[in-house]
Amino acid sequence: MAITSWLTNALGAGTVTPDLNGNHSELLRGYGGLFPIISAHIIFDGELDPRYDYITLLRDPVDRVLSWLFYAENTVPDTPEFQRHKNGARNFLQSNGEIVDDEIRSSISNYYVEHFAQIQRFSSNIFDGKVAAALQSLSDFKIVGLYEDYSSFLSDVSDLVCLPDPGTIATVNPTNQRPKVREISPALRERIVELNQLDIRLYEEVVGWKVSAGQRQSRKDVTSVASKWQKYEPVRDRVITTPDITILTAALRGEAVVFHGDLLTFDVDFFLSRQVADLEMGVHVFDSDRRWAFGINSSLLDQCHQDLPRGTYRVIHHLVADLPAGSYTAGFAFSEKVGDGVRDLAWYDKLCEFEVHHRVERPFAGYANLSAEIALTPLASGLESPVVEYAYGSVALRTPPVEMVSGEHVRLDVEITNHGDRRWIGDGSCPVRLSYHWLGIEGEMAVFDGERSSLPDGGVPAWKAVMTSMSVVAPPVPGRYTLVPTLVQEGLGWLEEIGLETAAYTVVVTTGCEVLPG
């Protein structure tokens, strides 16, 4: 906002837009060509426009988040529009970062990386890829400044727009009652750092990138620099008119909202003021981003319309709306074949508007409606199911310990018996593994989730007993405990809950110096 105010005062009213918010493509369509400089909080929805130079200013991510939080809590207007941000910021600060409302998460967590990665249309959750995509986007910016080196940023912008270096500019809309980063609690700072790991990496990369580029070259004498301003040529609708033809009406039959695959019929009435030797007629469809979606003409369809006398005619265009969902425009063209060339008689990019919707038989996620089905096929009878449904069997230690030192790590011989008709599988998905519980002197659970040990190769076959060993770690606090060896199927549950017989062994855990009295 301070940069906008400075440039507006220096270059004159009508040169810089007011501070805007919106999608990149919509801002360019709405303001491109009207203002030489667009100042905005941009939501990027695609690549940068090569007709523009882009500049941005980054600041230390922790400092940025802290500034945003206190700005939202203390400075923004107390209106319904901003209340959710005020409440979210207040909840976050008062809880030392434990409460992160959905309304503010995108503003205080990795904002830079998410923002700039959108230019590359990178939406994956692969973190390294997101940082790389954001860096790639920033490399296409004309100026990337650092808030901590604000004077250099102002100097770079001055060079770009051929203005004297202002040195400093007036502050606009400062954050009220904002502490320094060093003044907040360690817990709050650690939480902000945790939420901004990607932004911190990005910022460090940009700082290193700017340092490696070396010192700025000395400023040019702006009085001797020719103007760098170039006229912005907006994308305009193409319109060609001649006295030879007049378009009377152009209309889409029926409703302007059609479904994918429906028939589109356009009636175009026109008047020929003279005889036309060989008339070529066409229709073209553009999407909402002014991209040419479809075009066809009578010559491409091997149609010939020769020696048409002066008069009024109607051409009917039939199209099948085999288009993605969205908004479209239809335009029409007329030309006359003359020798080996073509002479345009009339061309209109946009005369009719319509929308294409897709019929949705069932709900789905995403933007594309794909034909899909899900089929379930039973496994061949020869394949074993890894899921243990009934654990008929037992687990017992061959030589249980009587005494252990707190925290001691030992391996104990164990016998596993499978009385069921299916093998217990120790590898692949949902493997079965050895584990244990420690119970206290009153039978309370002291250690529930014991260390894991793998089954022997081949698992435990049906109607067999196998000998192996398991790893056991003693509880950290000395005392009298009960050790319960057991089996667990990862991701599913403990086998004693579905029939496995377990043994219980009393073990005294000491400090290593003395044995507790019995």
Side-chain angles (χ1 to χ4, degrees):
M1 296 174 71
I3 298 289
T4 300
S5 178
W6 161 53
L7 292 176
T8 302
N9 292 332
L11 297 173
T15 306
V16 188
T17 67
D19 286 296
L20 304 170
N21 289 279
N23 289 333
H24 177 242
S25 57
E26 294 176 358
L27 290 172
L28 291 188
R29 283 198 296 269
Y31 296 89
L34 301 177
F35 292 87
I37 299 175
I38 295 177
S39 174
H41 295 282
I42 296 174
I43 301 170
F44 284 105
D45 50 5
E47 298 176 355
L48 304 181
D49 190 316
R51 296 168 295 181
Y52 272 101
D53 289 327
Y54 290 77
I55 68 174
T56 192
L57 181 68
L58 307 183
R59 69 192 300 179
D60 176 81
V62 177
D63 188 53
R64 185 201 74 80
V65 170
L66 197 62
S67 177
W68 187 94
L69 287 167
F70 280 91
Y71 179 78
E73 183 186 31
N74 300 321
T75 308
V76 299
D78 193 7
T79 62
E81 178 184 2
F82 296 106
Q83 196 61 49
R84 66 182 188 276
H85 292 106
K86 293 176 75 73
N87 292 340
R90 185 176 299 113
N91 291 337
F92 185 88
L93 291 169
Q94 291 178 353
S95 67
N96 265 342
E98 292 300 318
I99 300 176
V100 185
D101 295 346
D102 291 341
E103 291 79 2
I104 69 167
R105 181 177 290 276
S106 62
S107 297
I108 65 170
S109 179
N110 295 320
Y111 174 84
Y112 284 149
V113 169
E114 297 290 348
H115 178 72
F116 292 110
Q118 287 301 314
I119 298 174
Q120 306 295 323
R121 298 185 185 275
F122 190 96
S123 58
S124 169
N125 286 324
I126 302 174
F127 293 155
D128 289 341
K130 268 192 177 176
V131 174
L135 281 169
Q136 179 60 48
S137 299
L138 286 171
S139 69
D140 293 331
F141 276 60
K142 188 75 172 181
I143 299 172
V144 178
L146 299 177
Y147 186 80
E148 291 72 21
D149 190 12
Y150 199 52
S151 60
S152 294
F153 177 69
L154 290 177
S155 186
D156 289 336
V157 176
S158 300
D159 280 349
L160 181 65
V161 297
C162 304
L163 285 174
D165 188 343
T168 60
I169 60 176
T171 302
V172 175
N173 212 9
T175 301
N176 297 332
Q177 306 172 19
R178 208 221 93 160
K180 304 291 186 184
V181 173
R182 64 177 180 273
E183 296 172 346
I184 64 175
S185 70
L188 180 59
R189 187 183 187 283
E190 289 174 6
R191 180 58 170 151
I192 295 175
V193 168
E194 179 187 350
L195 291 170
N196 289 275
Q197 290 295 302
L198 300 186
D199 270 11
I200 291 170
R201 284 178 51 192
L202 175 70
Y203 188 75
E204 290 172 348
E205 292 278 357
V206 172
V207 171
W209 159 31
K210 292 183 72 68
V211 169
S212 66
Q215 299 295 322
R216 291 184 69 255
Q217 298 179 351
S218 59
R219 274 181 51 78
K220 303 171 185 175
D221 180 1
V222 297
T223 60
S224 63
V225 177
S227 174
K228 298 179 183 178
W229 294 102
Q230 296 181 357
K231 184 179 180 182
Y232 173 91
E233 297 293 343
V235 178
R236 302 186 184 279
D237 293 332
R238 184 185 183 193
V239 176
I240 296 175
T241 61
T242 66
D244 301 323
I245 190 170
T246 301
I247 306 298
L248 303 175
T249 61
L252 170 65
R253 291 186 193 175
E255 298 294 329
V257 176
V258 299
F259 285 101
H260 178 267
D262 284 355
L263 182 66
L264 292 165
T265 300
F266 299 97
D267 296 317
V268 182
D269 296 344
F270 61 95
F271 173 73
L272 290 178
S273 61
R274 64 171 178 85
Q275 178 171 319
V276 175
D278 195 347
L279 183 65
E280 181 180 81
M281 300 170 290
V283 58
H284 38 263
V285 175
F286 290 95
D287 65 18
S288 57
D289 289 325
R290 305 298 300 130
R291 294 174 299 183
W292 200 333
F294 175 76
I296 196 70
N297 61 40
S298 53
S299 295
L300 294 174
L301 294 172
D302 294 326
Q303 296 177 357
C304 182
H305 305 280
Q306 294 182 331
D307 298 325
L308 293 180
R310 180 178 185 273
T312 302
Y313 297 86
R314 169 173 291 177
V315 57
I316 302 171
H317 295 280
H318 297 293
L319 306 177
V320 176
D322 191 8
L323 293 164
S327 300
Y328 296 88
T329 61
F332 307 94
F334 297 84
S335 57
E336 183 179 19
K337 296 181 180 180
V338 181
D340 294 332
V342 176
R343 175 176 176 267
D344 288 327
L345 301 179
W347 181 293
Y348 294 89
D349 266 358
K350 182 171 68 175
L351 287 178
C352 298
E353 299 181 357
F354 62 97
E355 293 182 12
V356 175
H357 292 187
H358 282 216
R359 291 183 175 87
V360 179
E361 296 180 357
R362 57 180 61 87
F364 64 93
Y367 70 87
N369 184 15
L370 307 181
S371 297
E373 69 174 25
I374 297 176
L376 179 65
T377 302
L379 296 173
S381 57
L383 297 178
E384 292 181 276
S385 170
V387 178
V388 179
E389 297 178 356
Y390 306 102
Y392 298 134
S394 61
V395 175
L397 297 178
R398 293 297 297 270
T399 307
V402 175
E403 180 180 309
M404 294 178 68
V405 175
S406 60
E408 183 182 3
H409 190 161
V410 298
R411 289 200 71 85
L412 303 175
D413 292 334
V414 60
E415 182 178 36
I416 309 171
T417 304
N418 182 355
H419 293 309
D421 57 3
R422 289 192 178 184
R423 183 168 65 103
W424 296 342
I425 301 172
D427 54 11
S429 63
C430 307
V432 175
R433 293 194 172 104
L434 280 157
S435 187
Y436 55 87
H437 311 304
W438 283 105
L439 306 181
I441 194 169
E442 301 294 335
E444 75 278 8
M445 187 65 68
V447 176
F448 177 73
D449 213 14
E451 188 166 305
R452 304 296 199 263
S453 301
S454 297
L455 296 183
D457 291 343
V460 183
W463 304 106
K464 297 289 184 180
V466 298
M467 292 294 301
T468 185
S469 64
M470 66 183 295
S471 177
V472 175
V473 179
V477 179
R480 188 180 300 278
Y481 293 89
T482 301
L483 173 62
V484 181
T486 184
L487 295 170
V488 60
Q489 184 158 33
E490 303 291 4
L492 294 178
W494 298 88
L495 266 58
E496 72 262 22
E497 297 174 351
I498 54 173
L500 182 72
E501 295 179 7
T502 59
Y505 305 95
T506 300
V507 180
V508 175
V509 176
T510 72
T511 62
C513 299
E514 59 181 356
V515 178
L516 294 177

